[in-house]
Amino acid sequence: MLGLAAEYKAALVERPGERLTTLHGRAVVNLFFENSTRTRTSFEFAAKRLGADVVNFDVATSSIAKGETLVDTAETIEALGADFIVMRHPASGACQYLMRHVTASLINAGDGAHEHPTQALLDALTVQEALGKIEGARISILGDALHSRVARSAIWALTKLGAKVTLAGPSTLVPIEFASMNVRVVHEFDEAVRDADVIYLLRVQTERQASNFLPSLSEYRALFGMDAERLAMTKPGALIMHPGPVNRGVEVTREVMDSPRSRILGQVTNGVAVRMAVLTLLDRTRQKSGVRR
Ligand code: NCD
């Protein structure tokens, strides 16, 4: 998976305008019930580069506004010809639920606070590219883990690939229960970043009611915000990652985002390569299992 993504990444860099025919004749529908800049656009770029037709379903102007259910909507999209449905939904488990109702391949582009698997894959690719390997890498994930699908998926992927993961943040946002996911849990900024090769900052998820878990955003910034002064205290060469969108000046300052240590925009670019690999491998599986249209 990461091998294919790395090949696609190299091709994206070397031959930016290239159009492949891997998914020629297939239709990919982006079905996003929550806002997205990076994920939706990178799925669109990925699918188009592979030669697929892409439709961005507009939830706000669709019959969902008239009360049509999720299942009816997905069945309709499938009847219109979708081979792949890329879905983001505010409810944890929405993809698993829908899987039982459609034969199109369903890709989870983020479900509630549960999972965001393609984000974890692009994060893994970014670490591998930067450090040469993931095994043994010390990765500290800082911030609002409680409401973060990014953190849950990143923990699964990175620990599975052999990274040593530390989770850090205020105890309201990083409860000790996370320790059962094979990570070290700490509540002090200095302790979290001291030995880290990668410092992964999470967005404070204000829309998922994180404000009830924090006295204020300025308090968060004071305790866990990454600025130039704190960056200077980290291990030389330690990398900064963030899934975006950034609450600028809260989790991270502009100066740190622009520093050569930041891989934040690199993560976005890797999103296209990883999503190309996911679509390609899923299409191979579909063909092997005899799904045809
Ligand atoms: C994340 C998301 O929506 O889960 N963004 C993304 O996909 N890059 C992270 C976030 O919103 O904080």
Side-chain angles (χ1 to χ4, degrees):
M1 160 75 227
L2 291 184
L4 181 59
E7 279 173 34
Y8 279 143
K9 169 71 185 286
L12 281 165
V13 174
E14 283 158 27
R15 301 183 292 281
E18 188 180 48
R19 283 279 174 280
L20 305 172
T21 54
T22 319
L23 289 192
H24 183 73
R26 315 277 197 287
V28 178
V29 176
N30 278 327
L31 177 59
F32 278 56
F33 292 85
E34 275 188 0
N35 296 345
S36 172
T37 297
R38 296 154 191 78
T39 308
R40 208 203 61 176
T41 313
S42 62
F43 265 112
E44 184 171 351
F45 270 128
K48 284 187 170 157
R49 199 171 158 100
L50 291 168
D53 292 324
V54 184
V55 173
N56 289 311
F57 182 88
D58 186 355
V59 170
T61 58
S62 74
S63 291
I64 288 166
K66 297 180 186 168
E68 191 161 42
T69 67
L70 175 62
V71 171
D72 287 343
T73 303
E75 283 177 352
T76 303
I77 288 173
E78 188 169 48
L80 286 167
D83 300 289
F84 299 89
I85 299 175
V86 179
M87 185 167 82
R88 168 169 289 187
H89 198 281
S92 296
C95 271
Q96 247 166 326
Y97 167 71
L98 201 58
M99 253 172 58
R100 299 200 291 268
H101 297 276
V102 293
T103 55
S105 295
L106 206 52
I107 302 173
N108 186 357
D111 61 327
H114 180 222
E115 292 277 1
H116 193 349
T118 57
Q119 177 73 39
L121 292 169
L122 75 87
D123 291 336
L125 179 63
T126 306
V127 173
Q128 184 165 285
E129 255 181 1
L131 304 181
K133 64 181 177 116
I134 298 170
E135 198 172 359
R138 292 175 192 276
I139 303 176
S140 290
I141 302 177
L142 264 63
D144 184 1
L146 185 64
H147 300 94
S148 176
R149 53 192 174 210
V150 170
R152 285 181 181 77
S153 288
I155 292 169
W156 279 118
L158 296 169
T159 54
K160 180 105 188 149
L161 294 168
K164 297 194 172 91
V165 177
T166 295
L167 207 54
S171 54
T172 46
L173 296 179
V174 185
I176 193 70
E177 284 73 20
F178 274 103
S180 66
M181 292 184 80
N182 201 17
V183 297
R184 180 173 74 114
V185 174
V186 303
H187 300 298
E188 295 290 328
F189 179 91
D190 294 354
E191 198 185 344
V193 303
R194 195 176 300 134
D195 298 325
D197 301 306
V198 177
I199 300 164
Y200 194 119
L201 308 166
L202 297 170
R203 183 174 65 88
V204 180
Q205 309 264 311
T206 38
E207 80 280 24
R208 296 190 210 283
Q209 288 149 38
S211 52
N212 296 339
F213 295 78
L214 273 178
S216 67
L217 288 181
S218 54
E219 171 105 359
Y220 181 85
R221 176 179 41 221
L223 291 173
F224 284 94
M226 178 62 83
D227 56 19
E229 206 177 309
R230 283 188 168 150
L231 185 67
M233 285 158 45
T234 62
K235 203 165 131 177
L239 303 174
I240 301 296
M241 292 172 61
H242 189 301
V246 168
N247 289 310
R248 205 184 271 180
V250 179
E251 304 101 35
V252 58
T253 60
R254 166 144 202 85
E255 215 178 342
V256 175
M257 285 174 75
D258 290 345
S259 88
R261 300 253 220 108
S262 166
R263 288 292 179 279
I264 298 175
L265 288 177
Q267 286 172 267
V268 177
T269 310
N270 284 346
V272 178
V274 151
R275 286 161 182 139
M276 286 175 74
V278 168
L279 287 166
T280 302
L281 295 178
L282 214 46
D283 191 57
R284 283 186 201 158
T285 310
R286 278 168 69 79
Q287 283 179 24
K288 269 195 212 135
S289 64
V291 180
R292 56 175 81 241
R293 272 198 36 250

